Structures are given as C-alpha cells and as structure tokens.
Amino acid sequence: MNIPLRQYWNLLAKYLAAQRSRVVLLAVLLLIGITLDIINPQILRYFIDSATTGGASDSLLRAALLFIGVALVQRAMAISATYVGEGVSWNATNGLRADLALHCLRLDMSFHNLHTPGELIERIDGDVTALSNYFSQFVIRVLGNLVLLLGVLVVLYFQDWRIGVGMTAFAGIALLILVRIRWIAVPHWRRVRHISAEFYGFLGESLAGTEDIRSSGATDYMLYRFYELMRRWLPLTVKASVIGGSVMWSSILITFAVGMAVAFALGAWLYHLGAITIGTVYILFFYTEMIRQPIEQILRQLEDLSRASASIGRIRDILAIESKLPVAAQPIDLPRGPLAVDFQNVSFSYAEAEPVLQSVTFHLPAGKVLGVLGRTGSGKTTLARLLLRLYDPQTGEIRLGNPDRSVSIRSAGENDLRQRVGMVTQDVQLFHAGVRDNITFFDERISDETIQQKINQLGLRTRIESMSNGLDTELASGGGGLSAGEAQLLACARLFLRDPGLVILDEASSRLDPATEQLIEQAITQLLTQRTGIVIAHRLKTVQRADSILILDAGRIVEYGDRDVLMRDPASRFYQLLQTGLEEVLA
C-alpha cells in the first residue's frame, strides 16, 4: 500500500508542532555530530601523513589528543540526540494515542460492537508504538544522513575529482536500489499488524471471561485458539522480516562490496600515480565506510518507515470512520430541571437484524416516573440506550424538555445530553482507584464538601464511612471487594453529583443483597425527587414508585397508562401481571 508523502508530512507537522524547540535542538545536535564525523578523518589523515614523513612528536601528540577529543564530543552529541529524540517521540505518540482514544470514544456503539477491547488497545497503542521512531528521528535522521553523505562526497571531490566521481556513482546506485525496494514490505507488515490486533482482541476477551472459561472447562479450547493465532502470526512476521530486512540488506551489502572494490582500485591507482598520499588512501577507505553508515541509517529508517506505513494506514482507517450519530452544527442546551420525554413513532434495529423497537410513541411528563416492563428482548434496554443517544433510531424522533421548550436529542450537545440524562444499570463499572475517584469520575474540581453533601442526601454516609479508609478506600479493578449493592450505592452517588433531569434505572435492583436493599431504595427515592424517572424492571416492588406503566412486547407498546388505573382494571395486562406474579411472567 503506497501512502502519499503528504500524509506522512501532515502527521509529523501536527504532532511535532507543539515541540518545535525540542525538534530544533535535536536537529542542531545531529548536525553538530555530522560535522564532527566529517572533520575527524582529516585529523587522522594528518596524523598518518605526519607519522610516515617523520613529523614532530608534539604535533603527533596534539593530533592524537584532538582526534580523541572530537570523538568524545561526537559520543556526547549522539547520547544527547538520543535523549532528546526519545522525549520528542513519547510526547508525539502520546498525543496521537490520546486523539485515537478520544475518536474511538466518540464513535457510536455499532463501531464498538464490531471491535473487541483488546483489538482496539492494540490498534491505539500497538500501531502508535510502531511510529515512535518515525516521530522522533525519521525526517531528521534521513535528512541528516543525506547531509552527511553530501558532505563526505564534497570532501572527496576536494581530495581528487576522480575519487569524488567514483564515490558519487557508488552512492547514487546504492540510494537508487533503496528507493526501488522501499515499499516492498509494507503490505506484509500491514498483515502482521492485523493479526496482532486480532490476537490481542482474543486475549482481552479471554482474560475478561477467565471465570466462565475455567468453570465451563473450556481452558483447553482457549489454549488451542491461542496457539492457532500464534501459528498464524509467526509466519507473517517472519515473511515481513525477511522481505523487509533480508532482501534490502542483501542488496545493500552487494552494493557496498562493489563500492569497496571501487575505492580500493581508485586508491591504488592514484597512489601509484603519486596524486595522493598514504594518509589520503586511508581516509578514502574511511570515507567509503562513512558513506556506508548514512546509507545504512537511511536503510534502517526506510525499513522502519515500511512498518510505520502499515501502522499509519491502519490509524488512517480508524480516523476515517465517522460516527453514525451526526453532531449538530449548533447544539441546543436542554432546559434545566426535570425533563419530559417524548417518543414519536420511533423504530430501531441493530445492524441488519430484526427491528427491536417498532413505532414506539409515548409521552412522559416532566417530574413523573415511568415503569417499563417486558420480557427479555422486548426492547427495554434499547429504549434507554436511545435516550442516552448511544444509537439513533432509524425512523421517528425523541425529544426531551419541559412544557415550555422541547429539544430533539439529535440537536442537543453530546456533553449536555450525557450530563442531563443519567443511568444506573445492574452492571456498574468501577475502576482501580479510590472511592472518591469512582464517585467523581476523576473530576478533581468536585470538592470533598460537595461529595459529603450528596452522600448525606442519599443516606450513604454511614456505609461509606464504614469502609476502611472512607473516601480514600482503594477499590480493586472491576470493583473487587464490593458487593453488588455497594457498587450500586457508588453508582447512585456518582449520578447524584451530576444532578440530571432524567434518571434511568435499568434493572438496577435486580442483583441487590438484602443488607443494602433498604439503602438503595432510599438512594433511588432521593435520585427521583424532582426529577423525571424511567424504571426498567422485572420486580414488582421496583415499579411501585412509578406514576405510569409501559409494557413492551416484541418491540411494540402493548399497554401504557396510569399505574393506579391499570392496577384496578381487570382487563389490563398490568393487572394480570400483578395477579400471576411479575417475576415469573416477565423472566
């Protein structure tokens, strides 16, 4: 795959622009090192010629000390350039990682349904890591080595024009070979990056499902899949390495063998003619070897570029993916306070599957609570996802607002929508961090006083203070060490801090332990005070607080009305559910 040079340059310009001073410093260090590389052989020639012609010992000693001093400064410049280059690389790649992660987070859920977390980690981190050398040293080293190559050729022309012509021809042929074969390995490295992402996707899924895999006796099968992917990965890597490395290196070694033969023939001929001294013969070979160094450096950079090209292509593919949720050109803020909910003939399906919601229409007044019932797969959770705009319906419209002003969620700003609509599910995502960070979502602007105030309002103060270190209690990854009820308490506190106008409880009480159920009920009561609520439930007790009931079946509304009216109407489905037992009928 041939990627236009403009894309390389745009990527460099974007992520190196903020480090202009460091990039300039890196260029200066490399150019100083190049200059010293060219000067030092001249000192060596002077030493050899002086020694062979009986030069003074003091002159030889000064030349030797100067040669050693210049060599030490060269090493210092090389070390400094490596240090600065690594800093430039990490800053640039971290910036690219952040942009890629943010781009993926802004994509709709259909994208995330197609890509496993492990695959995305490999594509965001693995592909960007492959670009580290490209960001830190590619352009500067390629340009620097070209300058070194030109400098050496100029010096050789000054020694003798015939030497200059011979070495120029050699260098030109070597560079021509490199240019002709530079892209040969790109498609192979792209396949390597692809299988790498597939492997890490599998690994992420396997680690996340360790408990189920072991309890189901599927360990052997998972190991089989592991080895199968590794067996596919190895030959691709070997092939890319052989084509990208061995072919290129073999070509350059043959070229250099010819180059050294040319240098030997020129040196012997000119020395025989008396046109050059023995010191000049020596530096002819020295400079020939120096020509080899920049060409090999350029070779390495081009080999890295072939790997980077595969990664740049994959990064470009991700960045080219657009969310199916278009952003409003001029977002409209949702009104403050409780939010009314309007579904107007909404239909939705995942990908090419059967419709999950079909022609759903209802109005929930601001400040009221709606209980949503239905069997598994009836569309209850999908309804909540549409309200959070994780997806957009194929037809129809969803509006949020109050009696004075109603806003389509397509026109609302994403941040404002997520701030004003909050959801608590039965599976709460907790992070390996303190209780405070898990409640505030790492927002350091929220003071402890505000956190304590909200916790007191929810009636959670005693429970949180009973933890080992209160708000500073460190939680294990995934909330390990907490019961499902305690995790729900933190989720309620997290949501309460945002002060949403619409609260969605998606079967949030289905996994509660008896010891914390009363606290959860108190917290939910506080959450729903002066807010609109949607309670998705399988349990009768959970919908007792609802003002109205909506029952879904196969994505359609089969009943919607006032809870008190429905529960007294023997002909209603809700009445029948109450008589037969809600849990048994809806399970």
Side-chain angles (χ1 to χ4, degrees):
M1 180 184 64
N2 194 350
I3 298 176
L5 290 176
R6 181 187 296 272
Q7 293 191 22
Y8 289 113
W9 173 249
N10 289 343
L11 201 62
L12 278 170
K14 179 178 181 180
Y15 291 100
L16 296 184
Q19 305 181 76
R20 190 175 292 107
S21 58
R22 287 189 177 186
V23 174
V24 170
L25 175 59
L26 179 58
V28 169
L29 292 172
L30 289 172
L31 289 174
I32 291 174
I34 289 169
T35 303
L36 296 177
D37 280 339
I38 295 174
I39 290 174
N40 225 16
Q42 298 296 327
I43 301 173
L44 192 58
R45 183 185 67 167
Y46 171 80
F47 182 89
I48 293 172
D49 287 342
S50 296
T52 56
T53 57
S57 299
D58 291 343
S59 298
L60 292 175
L61 179 60
R62 284 194 296 270
L65 292 175
L66 182 59
F67 180 85
I68 293 172
V70 170
L72 291 175
V73 174
Q74 282 178 293
R75 290 297 89 204
M77 292 297 103
I79 292 171
S80 300
T82 301
Y83 177 81
V84 175
E86 286 299 313
V88 169
S89 170
W90 276 106
N91 286 327
T93 51
N94 284 343
L96 179 55
R97 285 187 186 94
D99 287 349
L100 276 173
L102 184 60
H103 178 75
C104 289
L105 289 172
R106 286 175 172 169
L107 293 175
D108 61 284
M109 291 304 297
S110 61
F111 168 81
H112 294 279
N113 292 337
L114 295 174
H115 302 277
T116 64
E119 178 188 354
L120 291 179
I121 289 172
E122 171 62 9
R123 295 193 70 168
I124 291 172
D125 184 64
D127 285 337
V128 174
T129 299
L131 297 179
S132 58
N133 184 62
Y134 169 71
F135 276 117
S136 64
Q137 299 183 22
F138 176 75
V139 170
I140 293 174
R141 283 202 178 275
V142 168
L143 293 178
N145 281 295
L146 286 174
V147 171
L148 174 59
L149 182 59
L150 291 174
V152 169
L153 292 176
V154 168
V155 170
L156 289 175
Y157 271 105
F158 274 104
Q159 304 304 316
D160 189 283
W161 68 269
R162 290 162 291 192
I163 295 176
V165 170
M167 291 299 102
T168 300
F170 159 64
I173 292 172
L175 285 175
L176 180 62
I177 292 173
L178 291 179
V179 170
R180 301 286 275 181
I181 63 175
R182 61 179 175 170
W183 299 114
I184 193 172
V186 171
H188 301 285
W189 283 117
R190 185 175 178 83
R191 294 188 192 101
V192 171
R193 301 308 308 161
H194 178 77
I195 188 64
S196 173
E198 185 178 347
F199 171 77
Y200 282 106
F202 160 77
L203 194 60
E205 285 185 331
S206 300
L207 293 175
T210 298
E211 186 174 342
D212 290 336
I213 290 170
R214 295 181 65 182
S215 62
S216 302
T219 305
D220 291 342
Y221 172 75
M222 300 310 292
L223 285 174
Y224 168 77
R225 287 280 296 128
F226 177 89
Y227 288 122
E228 182 183 44
L229 287 169
M230 293 295 286
R231 282 195 296 267
R232 288 172 52 198
W233 192 354
L234 177 61
L236 290 175
T237 304
V238 171
K239 187 174 183 180
S241 299
V242 169
I243 294 175
S246 300
V247 172
M248 296 180 74
W249 282 104
S250 298
S251 302
I252 205 65
L253 285 175
I254 293 172
T255 305
F256 277 120
V258 174
M260 293 302 291
V262 172
F264 180 80
L266 278 174
W269 177 53
L270 293 173
Y271 180 74
H272 179 72
L273 294 177
I276 58 174
T277 64
I278 189 65
T280 304
V281 173
Y282 178 79
I283 66 167
L284 173 58
F285 285 95
F286 196 98
Y287 278 132
T288 302
E289 184 64 23
M290 282 189 65
I291 291 176
R292 175 176 181 166
Q293 291 175 15
I295 291 178
E296 286 185 348
Q297 283 285 343
I298 293 172
L299 171 63
R300 289 193 182 94
Q301 295 301 320
L302 289 176
E303 186 179 356
D304 286 342
L305 181 60
S306 67
R307 302 188 189 194
S309 298
S311 296
I312 290 174
R314 287 162 54 81
I315 290 170
R316 182 187 60 175
D317 291 343
I318 285 187
L319 293 176
I321 297 173
E322 296 182 0
S323 175
K324 296 179 181 178
L325 308 177
V327 178
Q330 294 182 333
I332 302 173
D333 288 341
L334 295 170
R336 302 299 95 183
L339 295 172
V341 178
D342 276 296
F343 270 62
Q344 301 174 3
N345 198 33
V346 170
S347 296
F348 174 78
S349 62
Y350 296 100
E352 302 299 327
E354 292 293 322
V356 180
L357 294 178
Q358 303 180 60
S359 303
V360 173
T361 299
F362 69 89
H363 171 72
L364 174 63
K368 298 298 183 178
V369 177
L370 172 68
V372 180
L373 305 174
R375 295 180 182 275
T376 299
S378 61
K380 304 186 301 298
T381 299
T382 298
L383 185 145
R385 289 171 177 168
L386 293 179
L387 280 168
L388 286 165
R389 210 184 173 210
L390 300 179
Y391 301 90
D392 271 346
Q394 279 80 33
T395 61
E397 186 178 29
I398 303 172
R399 303 185 69 86
L400 300 174
N402 55 33
D404 299 323
R405 185 164 66 93
S406 179
V407 178
S408 170
I409 64 171
R410 296 177 189 265
S411 302
E414 180 180 307
N415 291 336
D416 187 53
L417 178 65
R418 303 287 162 77
Q419 186 72 25
R420 301 286 294 125
V421 179
M423 182 166 72
V424 179
T425 66
Q426 59 181 319
D427 296 314
V428 179
Q429 179 63 55
L430 297 177
F431 302 93
H432 181 52
V435 172
R436 178 188 291 99
D437 289 331
N438 273 280
I439 292 177
T440 64
F441 254 141
F442 304 93
D443 189 345
E444 297 179 354
R445 296 172 297 177
I446 302 176
S447 65
D448 283 1
E449 292 74 17
T450 302
I451 298 174
Q452 292 291 352
Q453 178 187 358
K454 299 298 183 181
I455 288 173
N456 289 339
Q457 286 181 274
L458 288 174
L460 307 181
R461 179 177 179 179
T462 303
R463 194 54 175 259
I464 289 180
E465 287 182 347
S466 67
M467 296 181 178
S468 58
N469 293 311
L471 288 175
D472 294 319
T473 302
E474 193 82 5
L475 300 182
S477 178
L482 294 181
S483 67
E486 289 171 327
Q488 295 289 350
L489 292 175
L490 294 188
C492 290
R494 177 190 292 171
L495 187 59
F496 205 42
L497 279 174
R498 289 164 48 191
D499 192 23
L502 171 63
V503 174
I504 304 171
L505 304 175
D506 187 2
E507 303 182 17
S509 61
S510 64
R511 294 173 54 194
L512 296 184
D513 53 280
T516 56
E517 185 169 1
Q518 185 175 359
L519 278 176
I520 289 290
E521 289 299 320
Q522 294 175 3
I524 290 176
T525 299
Q526 285 293 325
L527 276 175
L528 296 178
T529 301
Q530 297 185 344
R531 294 181 178 87
T532 307
I534 294 179
V535 180
I536 299 172
H538 281 165
R539 302 178 64 188
L540 176 60
K541 185 175 182 180
T542 309
V543 296
Q544 285 180 346
R545 66 180 79 248
D547 299 296
S548 54
I549 297 295
L550 184 150
I551 300 178
L552 289 170
D553 188 7
R556 296 183 181 275
I557 296 178
V558 294
E559 189 164 273
Y560 177 56
D562 182 89
R563 184 180 69 88
D564 292 336
V565 173
L566 294 176
M567 68 185 297
R568 292 193 297 268
D569 182 3
S572 74
R573 286 204 179 195
F574 184 59
Y575 178 88
Q576 297 168 14
L577 291 175
L578 294 177
Q579 302 305 310
T580 56
L582 186 65
E583 288 84 350
E584 288 77 8
V585 175
L586 295 181

